[in-house]
Structure formats: structure tokens, C-alpha cells
Amino acid sequence: MTKNLHTTPRAKTPPVEVEPAADEPDPRYGVGERRKRFDALGRVRGTIRYTGDEGIAPGTVFVGVHRSTMPHARIVAVHTEAALEIDGVLEVVTGSDLYKVLGDRIYTGPAFADQPCLAVDKTRFVGEAVAAVLATDLATARSAVDEISVEYEELPPVYDVEDALRGDSFVHEELRPSSVFADLAHLHGVRGTNVAYEYRQVLGDSAAEHARAATTVSATTWAPPTHHVPIELPSTTAWVDSGRLELLSTTQTPSYVRQTVSDLLDLPLSRVRIMTRPLGGSFGCKMYDRLEPLAAALAWTTGRRVRIDATREEAFLLTTRHGAEVIGSMSADADGNIVAVSSDVRYDTGAFADVGPRIAAKSGLVAPGPYRIASVDVRSRCIYTNKVSAGPFRGFGVPQVTWSHETLVDELARELGEDPYLYRRRHLLREGDIATVGTKMHSADFLTCIDEVTKAIGWDKPTPQGDGRWVHGKGVAVGMKAVLTPTIANATLNLNQDGSATLLISTVDMGQGSDTIMSQIAGEVLCLDSRRIHVVRADTDATPYDTITAGSRSTYHTGNAVRLVAEAMRTKLLGFAAEQWGVPARELVLDARGVTHKKSDKLVTLPELVRAKFGARGATVTTSENFTSWWVPYDHDTGLSEKVTEHWFAGAAAVRIAVDTYTGRIRTQHLAIAGDVGRAINPTLVEQQLTGAAVMGIGHTLFDELVFDQGQITNATLLDYQLPSIKDVPEKMTPIIVESAHREGPFGAKGVGETTILPIAPAYAGAVRDACGVRITTLPLTPERVLHHLAASENARKAKR
Amino acid sequence: MNEITLRVNGTPHKVAVDDTTVLLDALRQRIGITSTREGCGVGACGACTVLADGTSVSSCLASAVRYDGVPLTTADGLAEDDPVVSSFVDSDAMQCGYCIPGFVLMTKELLAENPTPSDEEIADHLEGNICRCATYPEIIKAVRLAADRTAP
Ligand code: FES
Ligand code: FES
């Protein structure tokens, strides 16, 4: 089923205090309803508090960070005396100070334990944290860092993947896989390489298939490193209270951070507390190890309450999106069937592996694309260089490989004289098909996605002629991503005696609206108005373990835990009534009025029921549940798995553009995007994810990129780093929700946060190809680059004449 | 240090500042106004917008002493039934919400100058504010709705 969603907003704000308004068709705000965020008014007036808005407790000290000026160098000495002399400076802490206390535990990281919170013996990128100044105020802390001087002994830098693969110099002496992933253990202690991890996928004999194919296209694509730039800056405050390390931080991974801090300081989990607030955006940059290990180490070793606020320039140095090169080929037989795809994927992970090894595998595994393909050969590598570290970013490395496979399939269709939409349509994976990685497709309706987006932009209508200066074109692309698997989600539900409820989960609301949809799921099960269900902000002292808020996994995983915990609550409540009335629980039903016994016409409201059970007003009833997904690890030799993921995301984009052949500028006339979300728990929030991810994708397509000079970022301010503004929104944009229910999703739902960022760039490049006949394989499609290609093709034409 | 009076949403606050204190820090750290936020510190994102005598100012670049006695408006000072506030709420014009107070104040300024802006005028006026969640379609709807609600 599909819905084309362009509804006018409700003219009425649901009151915060809940009495169903007479004109509301269904006042429960359950699954499928366009409920508003519960704190909408606070978000508009700015009264909700983000992490950095919390008051500064007396005695708080502020941290300034001295950063490396060398891409790769041994640290000979750090001179701190001059900084210490400044009024207001309390202490200066170096990596070797911390190493004396923490030893190798100073190295943390999600896949590899290779990130020291302060550089210990060498520095691996320009901007790496080398020393921390603790001062009574922020301005003093920040200015004092300039008084620190460091003596370096330069080492040969590794600037890009070519350098790295040549192997003359190594970013890390040896690989240090973390204890988190058992399948990385064999890499421990490997020396003499910059390749942190390599994933291979081998299906059939692709060399032979390529050799006998009728048509082959090849392309080397490049997607540059970019930055997330959520508008909220990172902020972490840490302190010690009665031997416990407590920390409030801008993180989307509180459960992970608790484990990291516990390992770092060698404390039991019970002595570490991580608190969160809503995030002012993240898109992947506020996860894993950012400011937290440094804040925890400083608070623990100095006993002070420390606050670290990153400036915008510093935020650029905490993590980035992987730049990736893909050398790919796609071949078809005489009937046009895709018989072989090979793909050599090179993710530049910078100085720290972070979660790069996971990206190399989980994104590498979709590098061939969501097509019926007879044979594949994928080699996907995570490669160290002396640059700022790259980590997770909305799409988790998949946009970079989608850029490759959609470029190839588009070119192949054109080479075969076929329509790029219909060619894809013919070869896309369908329900029940097996993806190249070996896993069966379910609830990933590529056909409806691609049909709907092409229909929306009028694919069959003639493209305007243009006026000699402006030329017009259309493009289409799809994208496929596996949800993060396996992951663990827990939920605890407290039903209050008054018939309201409090839900405890560790999903972090960073704008996607999880606090709102989770209560819609619980409310649906319990027939409660979801506005009576409050979701507690993640706090590891109270909310239960949850792997991560990332990878579009929360709606499905945490959503399932929430569904289960609400079902458990229903069972418990029915049990109370059964006990009170002396009837079997199976004869009872829970509905919006309370519990009823049909046979005897008995009815009890929830407040009465709970009060009768405990004899107290204000009592609570508690249930807890877990939902864990499972997978079959990749086969060691082939990289195949019969269940590599719990489910797939399927998305598509189609676009009509005009290209100014004088300036190279691209104007978007109509962009349609579709994502199969299984079931939209809240269509308004789903549409916002579809359009939000698409506009972010437009930035990646047209201008967004980090520029490096000798390993140093040269555009790390918002004056230099361009982000999509209101003027970059397409003249027309159509978000389309596709719902092919997942058999195990909560009410059929999957996630949606990343789906439409995947196909944007290749859809645009296809449209440029259509409009001007040039195929651009390097992102972004800046005016200069477009002009350059136009000139080159013009010259080639002239030369032929 | 100079003692100045910052008049924020009608309330005077005496604060001690020096010549280098920026208005953003004075509002956040001295008065506790947290709807005004830092996103870039260089005047390029609009998260720190305040209205000074009705005119938008990037408070991250503005010297606090220059606003001694000037009536300042921040988003939290707007009434819940303010037409711009209610239009943003009713249009779901927010995701993470971090940037939204800045857009709200820019919209107040726009509609005071031009009660019936065209879409192009809306975009021209809001171009300097960045919403990384890209809530732009809903923001445009909200501004149109606010214009309707504000119309005499
Ligand atoms: S913080 Fe002032 S414009 Fe960005
Ligand atoms: S709503 Fe998140 S930055 Fe605008």
C-alpha cells in the first residue's frame, strides 16, 4: 500500500493536558496517527533544555584542549609551564599523565581500541588532542592552550588511501581490535599494515562472467569526506560523587558510553552513570567515544567537576564521514541480465578505526546493489590515514557504495539502450529473492518505491527542450541498506495508578521523534491515549540497556521491546482483574474503558483496578521486556550469510533538474523520494525523516565536502563549510511512504532515518547525464565540476569532427 | 567591567560585562536565557538570533555593551498563543528543535516588515538560518500560516 502524503497541518494543537477534544476522530494517538511531538511547544519557544543548557554547578572547571599541529609525529616533550602560570589555570594534563594512571586502558573505541583521549606517544592527525587545560572559566582554558608547546619528531605522513596502501609508513604500529566484537579478535597484534579490516563477498565466478559478458561498464567513483554538523555542539560534563563517575553528555549511545567509561576507569558498571538530554541533532557524530572518555578521565584523575564544550572548529575534529573510492564494474549478458559485479571499496577511516571496520563490512555487503546478479566479487577495506577519524554518519557508509552501483547500473542501461528506470525495475530484487550476500528479501518493496517516485515526477512526460543555456534532465536511483544486526533493546514500563504510564528506554531522541512514537506503540497495545505515556530520558541509572540509537534500528528493535512490555502489562492487568473477580483471565479484555468481563458485564477502569490491587493511590505496576535480533555471521571465505540482517531498508529517488550550461549550476525542479518503512507509526515524523535525509543528501550531492590540505581540514568553520539552506530545497519535493509490513516489526514497522539519503547523489548524476550527456563520478557536483565536464565533452566532440 | 542593563522580554537585568563579552554569553550565562544557542560562533547559522528593538541580531557576534537598555526579545519570551509560535507548532516545524527559536524570531521580524511575504521573500529572509535536520518544508508552511494568522 502506498500513500502520497500532502496533508494540511491540523489547525489545532493537541492540548498538553489530555482531555480528548470533541473534534478528534480518534483521541488515542496510537499507531498510524499524526501525533505531534509531546514537547513541540518547548522546541518552538526554546524552553526544552539540551545538555549544554543545564546550569553550571559551583566548582565546575572548564577544559581547553591543545591540539596537534602535526599529521604524524612522535611526541618528544610537552611543555606546560607557561600555561600553568596563567591566572585561573588549575592544571594541565597530558596523555602521558593519563597513561601513568590508566595504562593501555586509555585506548578506547567501538571496533578497535585505538583512540587515546589524549595522544600518548605519538600524534596521528592535525587536530588530535594532546593536552588538556583545566581552568576556572572557559575563556581562560581556551586561551591557555596556546601557551602549551610540544616538541615533535616528524614521521612520514599517510595522507590518502593510495599512500596508505603503498605501506611505507604506518598510522598504527599494530592493530588493536577491541573486545567488543569477537570476529575481529584474529586481527590482534597484526603489524605492518594500514588496512584495519577487509570484507570480501564472493558469489559465483565473477571473473569468468565478466569475461564472457556481452556488455561491461566500469567506473571509479569518489564520495568525499563530509561532516555531520548538527547545530547543537558537543558538550560533556563529568564528576565524581561518592566514588561513582557521573557524566552528562550529548551522546546517542549512553549504554555504550557507560561500558567504555567502566573499562577506561576499571570501575564496575554500577559505579558509572551516563545521563542524556534530547540532542540538537546528531546524524551519527554523537556516538561512541567523543568527549566522554576525556571528560571521565579528567574528572576521575583530578577529582574535579569538568565540563568540555567543543567549539564548532573542534567539533569538526571529533569525527567525520568516510571519504570512499569505489572501483567497480558491472556486466550484462546478451539478454541484459546482470551477470557480474565487482567492487573494490576503499573507506578512508583516518587516524582511528572507530566503527570503520563495521562500515566496511555492513556497507560493503550491499556494494553490488539490490539487483538479481549472478556473480559478485566485493573487496571492501577500512584504511587508516593521518587525518581526522571517520565514523558513523547517517547511511553508515552505504551512500558511498550506492553512488557506485547506481552509477554503474545507470550507465549499463544506457549502454544497452534501455530506459534507466525500466531497466532497474526489471532487475531489482523482489520479495523472497536472495540478495547477493545470501540473505532473503522481505518487506523491502523496491518496485513500489521506484514506481512511485518516477510516477510522481512524470517520468514518461517529455523533458523540456531548454533554451540553449538551460538544459533539462531526469534521473532515478535506488538504495538498499541492512539494519544494524544483532542488537539488544530493553524496555521497562511503569503503569501509574491513575492510568497514565512512564516508559523507560535508552533510545535518545535527537529529532527523529522516538519519544513520541514509542509512546504511540505502547498506547496502541494498552488502548491508552499515548499522550498519557511519558518517556524517560536515557539515564543508565534508571533506563535499561539498549545497544545504540543508530542505524535506523530503534523503531524496530526498541519498538518491539516497547510492544512486548506493553503486552506484558496488559497480561498483568488482566491477571489483577481475574484475581479480583475470580474469573479466568482469558475471558477478560482490555479496551479504552478498562478491563471488561463480557459474560458478566463487569467493567473496571485502570485506576480502580490498580487501586484495588494495592490499596493506594499513586501506586505503580511494572513490567520489563527484552527484544534481541539475531544474525548468522558472514562465512569466513565468501562473506555470505543466510541472515546477515534483521531487515532491509529500500528507498528510491527520482529527480527533474535544469542545468545552467553557462555557470554549471543545478536547479532542482522536482525531487520525489520514497522509503519502505514497513508501517508508519507516525506519518508526519516519517515524512520529516524522508525529506530531511533527502535534503542532507542534496548537500552531499551538490556542494558538501571537507577539504584537506596535507591532512589538515581547511574549511572547518560554518563560514567555509556549506550546508543546505532553505534555498536549496527543491522547487517541489514529494515524500512517499511505502508500507510493506515487516512480519516481525512492531505493527509491521521498520525504521526510516537513513533510507532516502542513499539514492540522492546517483539520481542527480543520472539527471545530469540525461541533460548534458556527461557522466560525473566524483562528488560533489559543484558548478566548477559540471562546467569542467561540459568543456571536456565539448572538446572531445570538436576533436572528433 | 561595565554594569549594563539588558532588557530581555520586558525584564531588566543588571549584568557586569567587559568589552569583549558577546551578547550570547551574557544572555545564556548571566541571565539564564537558553533559547538563544550557539551553533557556529561566526554569524553563519542563526541559532543565536535575538531581536533587538525588533531587528534580528546574531548574538554570537554582538558585543553585549552595545545593547545596554535596548529592548531584546528571545523566543522563550513569546507567548504560547503568539501566532508565529502556534503556527510553528501546528505545522510540525521542528525536528531536533535546536535551530527553531532562531527561525521563529526571523519570522517575527519578517512579518513585522512584510505581513504578506511571497515564498521567495520568505526564503530570502530565512536563508541565513541553518536547520541541519532540514525541516525547511514545514518551516515554510509555518511562516505562511503565521502570515495568515497575523493578517489584520
Ligand atoms: S551561533 Fe551565532 S550565527 Fe551561529
Ligand atoms: S530542527 Fe534540528 S537543526 Fe533545525
Side-chain angles (χ1 to χ4, degrees), chain A residues 725, chain B residues 43-46 123-130:
Chain A
S725 82
Chain B
C45 77
D124 281 343
H125 200 77
L126 300 182
E127 191 187 3
N129 287 53
I130 299 297

Side-chain angles (χ1 to χ4, degrees), chain A residues 9 11 13 36-37 41 43 45-46 50 52-53 227-229 279-281 283 312 510-511 688 692 724-725 727 729, chain B residues 28 35 37 39-40 75-76 78 80 85 89-90 92 94-98 101 123-124 127 132-134 136 138 149:
Chain A
T13 313
K36 292 192 180 304
R37 288 179 175 76
L41 187 59
R43 286 180 193 255
R45 292 175 67 243
Y50 300 87
D53 296 337
H227 201 272
H228 317 63
V229 199
L279 293 181
F283 318 109
R312 178 55 68 193
M510 43 200 182
Q688 286 191 330
S725 82
K727 292 219 164 157
V729 175
Chain B
R28 286 182 65 87
S35 66
R37 308 187 173 116
C40 69
D76 58 296
L78 301 177
E80 294 186 3
V85 169
V89 171
D90 293 346
D92 294 294
M94 77 212 66
Q95 289 183 52
C96 77
Y98 203 79
D124 281 343
E127 191 187 3
R132 187 52 163 157
C133 301
Y136 299 124
E138 292 84 357
R149 288 185 182 175

Side-chain angles (χ1 to χ4, degrees), chain A residues 182-200:
Chain A
D183 61 313
L184 302 178
H186 66 285
L187 296 171
H188 217 283
V190 170
R191 300 177 75 91
T193 183
N194 286 312
V195 178
Y197 184 79
E198 173 170 333
Y199 166 80
R200 283 299 290 262

